[in-house]
Amino acid sequence: MKWRGLIFVLTLGAAIPLGAPLANAGSPVVRFASGRTYPRAKRVCLSTSVPTNCPAGAYLYNFPGAASEWRADLSSIPDARWIWRADTRRQAIGDLATFSASTTVNIPGTPLQATLYIAVDDFARIRVNGTVAGTWGSKTDPNAASFANNNTGSFDITSLLHSGTNTIVVKARNGPASFAVGCGPCTYQQNPAGVVFGGTVSYQP
């Protein structure tokens, strides 16, 4: 199974309390979520029961240590699902594999407050309209990587958005073989990868 532990995780964006209510609760809201609008990605799960919202038809890694991973609280983004590359196979080498998910968010007004939530196995960099909003996890520290797939990071991205079409890119990377136990190189079944993210944008029409 993968290493577990807690450690400080570096973020470049301003973090906000997880699950904090929108300051402009009466304003209209735009939502986005991984696994709903990414046709080139695969929905992935460690097993049929991990994560708890594993959707029917998701690709299963059949990871032996599933019970201790991907336990991040996704209540703030209930429509989001863990995803990874469309060509992912259990027996393919997963060490240091990369995956990039890009989506556009159309805001028909002035952004008032926007939050992006993310969990990842093992590292992700978030860009909003070309600017780095933050990072979550690690591709060098197994403790930080474990923390990032078992906990949801949140980023205030309000200042990076504008009225009209906005582009959000999440570039994720799996950890090296040293993050797993008893393999090297490691397959996806031994060293799985995934990312889940989503968010809300309140705006003034």
Side-chain angles (χ1 to χ4, degrees):
M1 64 190 296
K2 288 195 172 184
W3 291 85
R4 299 176 58 193
L6 302 179
I7 198 167
F8 171 80
V9 180
L10 176 67
T11 59
L12 302 180
I16 66 171
L18 183 61
L22 290 172
N24 304 280
S27 303
V29 172
V30 173
R31 302 180 187 278
F32 58 95
S34 61
R36 187 174 63 184
T37 56
Y38 299 89
R40 290 178 293 180
K42 238 177 204 178
R43 294 184 179 191
V44 292
C45 296
L46 297 181
S47 69
T48 55
S49 59
V50 180
T52 55
N53 65 346
C54 181
Y59 189 78
L60 304 179
Y61 285 124
N62 294 334
F63 177 53
S68 64
E69 305 293 331
W70 292 21
R71 297 175 297 169
D73 179 4
L74 304 181
S75 59
S76 297
I77 45 173
D79 292 336
R81 298 294 182 266
W82 287 82
I83 59 175
W84 199 248
R85 298 165 53 132
D87 61 353
T88 301
R89 294 181 298 107
R90 279 181 290 274
Q91 299 310 313
I93 300 302
D95 305 332
L96 297 175
T98 60
F99 168 63
S100 183
S102 176
T103 187
T104 56
V105 179
N106 183 48
I107 306 173
T110 303
L112 298 176
Q113 183 174 334
T115 307
L116 182 146
Y117 303 92
I118 187 169
V120 64
D121 186 349
D122 288 289
F123 172 80
R125 176 173 284 107
I126 306 153
R127 290 183 183 272
V128 179
N129 293 323
T131 299
V132 175
T135 64
W136 194 242
S138 176
K139 54 183 182 284
T140 58
D141 187 323
N143 291 321
S146 181
F147 184 86
N149 79 63
N150 285 312
N151 296 272
T152 308
S154 57
F155 298 86
D156 184 339
I157 59 172
T158 313
S159 64
L160 302 178
L161 299 173
H162 53 71
S163 178
T165 301
N166 297 264
T167 302
I168 297 174
V169 178
V170 174
K171 186 170 184 180
R173 187 166 191 174
N174 197 20
S178 60
F179 279 19
V181 176
C183 60
C186 303
T187 65
Y188 275 113
Q189 185 172 12
Q190 299 164 313
N191 186 17
V195 62
V196 57
F197 62 92
T200 56
V201 182
S202 67
Y203 63 93
Q204 178 66 51

